[in-house]
Amino acid sequence: MLAPATVLAASLGYLLLLFAVAAWADARARAGRSVIGNAWVYALSMAVYCTAWTYFGSVGRAAGGGVWFLPIYLGPMLAMLLAWLVLRKMIRVARAQRLTSIADFMASRYGKSPALAGLVTLVTMVGIVPYIALQLKAIAFGYAVLTQPAGAGGAAGGPWWTDGTLYAALALAGFTMIFGTRQLDGTERHEGMVAAIAFESVVKLVAFVAVGLYVTWGLFGGPAELFAQALARPELAALLRLAPEGGRFAYEQWFALTLLSMLSVLFLPRQFQVMVVENVDERHLRRAAWVFPAYLLAINLFVLPIALGGLLHFGRGAADADTFVLSLPLATGAHGLALVAFIGGLSAATGMVIVEAIAVSTMVCNDLVMPLLLRTRRFAARQDLTRVLLAVRRTAIVLVLLLGYLYFHLAGEAYALVSIGLISFAAVAQFAPALLGGLYWKDATRTGALAGLLAGFGLWVYTLMLPSIAKSGWWHTDFVAAGPFGAALLRPEALFGIGGLDPLTHALFWSLLANIGLYVGLSLLTRPSAAEASQALLFVDAFERVPSARPVFWRGRAQVADLHGLLARFLGAARAQRLFDAVARERGAADASALQPDAALVQRVEHELAGAIGSASARVMVARAVEEEPLALDDVLRILDEASQLRRYSQALEQAGAELRAANERLASLDRLKDDFMSSVTHELRTPLTSIRALAELMLDDPDMPEAQRQQFLGIVVTETERLTRLVNQVLDMAKIESGHAEWHTSDVDLVELLRQAAQTVQEMLRERGAELVLDLPAQAPLLRADADRLTQVVLNLLSNAAKFVPAGRGRITLRLRVAPGMLTVEVQDNGPGVPADQRALIFEKFRQGGDAANRPQGTGLGLPISRQIVEHFGGRMELRPDSGQGACFAFTLPCPSTTDPAPPRAATGPPGDTR
Amino acid sequence: MRTPPPAPGGPDRATRAPAPRGEGPRAAHLVALFALALLLFNFPLLALWDRDLRVLGLPLFPLALFVLWALLIAALAWLLERPRD
């Protein structure tokens, strides 16, 4: 055992660290360098799903039932597979409508119904308070295990630690108030809180894995040995199979648990808070949706080893399996590790409590307290309500935690950790039909949602909550065993005589059956009001609408001053002024008072208010402040029609904008190309000019220059001038071809004859270099329609290129013509060094010559590009054949009328120059 | 008029209109993976692994559950993170 002072000091130190992390993140956010704006932190904050229940309870569950701890984590895996579709839609809607809680979300969908918001809040309160109690219990429990002598037995401690739990609850309330209610607007992110939660997720994972490693390798010498020992005992071996102890595997319960946790991970208030409200960027979901399940996998990896290790070490039934994470290191002398494990459990508990308290307090404030307060005349007359709102929210936090503490004290002893958690899950699952249905089904109505939720909740209370209370010993259990007033058909755990199911599956079946049945049935029987229909459109079509074209479902008369006053009452004068100034700027109005109080402005104010007091209350307040005309369903449809018209315009505009941008980019890139070309040309011109000038100056300065040298210099000047002329000609040529102004003299060309002539032309030059030219030509080839001079130019260019690169004295160049149906291919193969791999791609670009700068052959660097332009002009293509290791092989292919079809091509009928 | 030659690498991407809804993974792929996961983790496929076998000293049934789980995560990560097209 550990000294209480040590444990308390460590816990206190940890809580202080948490404060520091949150304060640091808040400071960073104020400095504009947010730490929570990335997908990893987002994924870690999602892991608030893993509470103390995961931390301690999973091991307990594994020790009792083997793999039965897994469905609670496979459910989230399934949910995350669809997160990109479902969760992203929730985020999109919540952002567009400034929704800050799950009650707000559902109420908003069904026409901003205050009744629905209140009901959801009530269900949440009833379902979640035990869950918070469970966390407090875990803290107290862990503390007791650490500080009491072994064998003193779980949480049955004296009053001295009970107060510790109270203090823990109060400390958490303090933390939540500081980092959770700094701003009034719930849509403002709680940066510090999210950073602290992400930090806690790391702590609990590290602590749990540390215990797992210690048990597996420290106590048992590896997983293989641990499992071998477990399998040697029949009662433990059964835990590693599908059906423990040989019974039937309860597939329906397995499925129910998976379904339950799948829904819970989306709809638990704390999950909604971190996943939807605190989401910074919906694209983070792309990574978080798989990192979060990976986290769950990691934290579950050692559940079985720890459970089996505990059972092997203590023996079955000797110790409470829920405490193995702590008691196993403690019993084997690893006191430091036990303390770390406790801190991990503490972090799991505190993380859950903090986020849940924020979420529930927002709901209680906006959806229970505000509607009641706003009805009282005295309150409604107050001018500044911001402080009242904050006070209500803070009170709600303390209240929620104290309720949790109370529940823990009264009932927490009776039930194992897992059961309490599952009861909460089943309550939250009642939100699923109306919420998921509302996202995808436009015809769902408020009546259906209300009735479904009421029935589902009622059945949950009857079939799950009441029996659990009875079993806690608060109440006689007769009504569970025999049914109320002895009516066996109404037995809560075997309703209408359906038995054979475990209580949870049974409750889930009946409650969801009634819930979905009434929701769908009544939605089909009733017609949505205008407000419901308009909200349904905004929810279901959330992905279809761009913000600028969102329809505004409002009609009436308003005064700017009224709207301004309304905002100022709830958000404070400064923020109201800022918002109106911003709107005035957007609309180009002189100042806020010059604004047109149109429907869009009214909606903007309502949205802003919704962020602070919830959509239902915001609707009520706005309706009071302005003169509204009721909308009928037809009006909704008409407004929608106008909006979709607008949307089409805006889409067309957007597309036109995109095209314009593309064209602009293209122009810019062409401009860059032109600049490159110009600089290359001037560079190429400067080199010969420099040498001409230098030689001319030499001759000018030195009249006594020997005649031989003068002759030599003049020779160079002439050569360089020729090169300049050639270059200028080619540049002009290139420009003409590229701009389409070149003259083409098209006639029938016999390529065989043309190649022979070209070969004769270069014969002399080749002989000078000692190179041999081999002709590989067919006897005849189909006639081409082309410009003979231009084609000759291409062939000469290829041949002279080849001549430049062949080794002096033993060069060998092959000129080949191949005839295939519909095309002619000319190849020029040399036995030079070939083209290096890194230059193959560049060789057809202007001014890119082969060879390095030192032994660059003469030439302008325009020959190949021009040749290619010419070949392409006639519909062919030119390429450098893949390097065969025996020199370079350039080839060009031209299309020709097939040999069997002598009809002239269409191009012959007109000047081909400008038709492409 | 003859169109200018395409600038290397550039115009293809520049002229393509931005796809407002095509971004991100395909819904059908995710739904299919969801269905697969649902099948794998329920009756009767779950019983496939319920055998008295050991792989590398680890009992097959829990091992299979974790391996399947890890494979699903990998598939999901691949679907979500790969660039579209």
Side-chain angles (χ1 to χ4, degrees), chain A residues 474-513:
Chain A
W474 283 10
W475 203 4
H476 58 93
T477 51
D478 293 354
F479 99 103
V480 179
F485 318 111
L489 268 187
L490 296 180
R491 272 183 300 158
E493 293 190 342
L495 206 56
F496 305 122
I498 290 190
L501 294 172
D502 64 287
L504 184 77
T505 312
H506 174 264
L508 197 64
F509 170 74
W510 280 114
S511 59
L512 281 185
L513 180 75

Side-chain angles (χ1 to χ4, degrees), chain A residues 830-916:
Chain A
D830 63 44
N831 64 344
V835 182
D838 56 334
Q839 293 188 1
R840 299 179 66 89
L842 303 173
I843 201 144
F844 287 109
E845 283 179 31
K846 293 162 204 160
F847 300 111
R848 301 290 190 139
Q849 290 175 305
D852 47 45
N855 57 3
R856 220 176 184 197
Q858 298 192 331
T860 58
L862 280 174
L864 277 175
I866 290 180
S867 300
R868 184 155 80 160
Q869 292 273 3
I870 292 170
V871 169
E872 283 177 357
H873 178 83
F874 292 112
R877 67 198 153 76
M878 176 173 260
E879 61 179 359
L880 174 58
R881 286 279 158 87
D883 200 347
S884 57
Q886 302 148 1
C889 178
F890 285 90
F892 63 90
T893 305
L894 290 168
C896 71
S898 165
T899 40
T900 56
D901 174 18
R906 241 190 112 259
T909 56
D914 292 341
T915 53
R916 276 203 356 176

Side-chain angles (χ1 to χ4, degrees), chain A residues 187-242:
Chain A
T187 54
E188 303 275 336
R189 282 181 200 91
H190 306 105
E191 297 246 356
M193 187 271 284
V194 173
I197 296 308
F199 173 73
E200 298 215 271
S201 293
V202 176
V203 170
K204 65 194 177 198
L205 179 65
V206 169
F208 194 85
V209 169
V211 174
L213 292 174
Y214 169 73
V215 171
T216 312
W217 274 276
L219 297 182
F220 286 92
E225 195 191 317
L226 173 62
F227 281 111
Q229 283 193 30
L231 287 166
R233 299 214 203 156
E235 81 274 13
L236 295 192
L239 290 178
L240 297 169
R241 295 293 296 272
L242 194 56

Side-chain angles (χ1 to χ4, degrees), chain A residues 392-447:
Chain A
V392 167
R393 212 163 278 181
R394 286 178 180 151
T395 316
I397 289 174
V398 177
L399 194 79
V400 166
L401 279 170
L402 284 182
L403 272 178
Y405 175 72
L406 201 68
Y407 188 96
F408 151 70
H409 237 322
L410 295 177
E413 307 293 313
Y415 244 37
L417 294 178
V418 170
S419 313
I420 301 182
L422 286 178
I423 291 173
S424 289
F425 273 26
V428 167
Q430 303 307 323
F431 301 150
L435 209 156
L436 286 178
L439 277 179
Y440 294 97
W441 186 30
K442 283 184 191 161
D443 295 336
T445 66
R446 191 177 65 98
T447 319

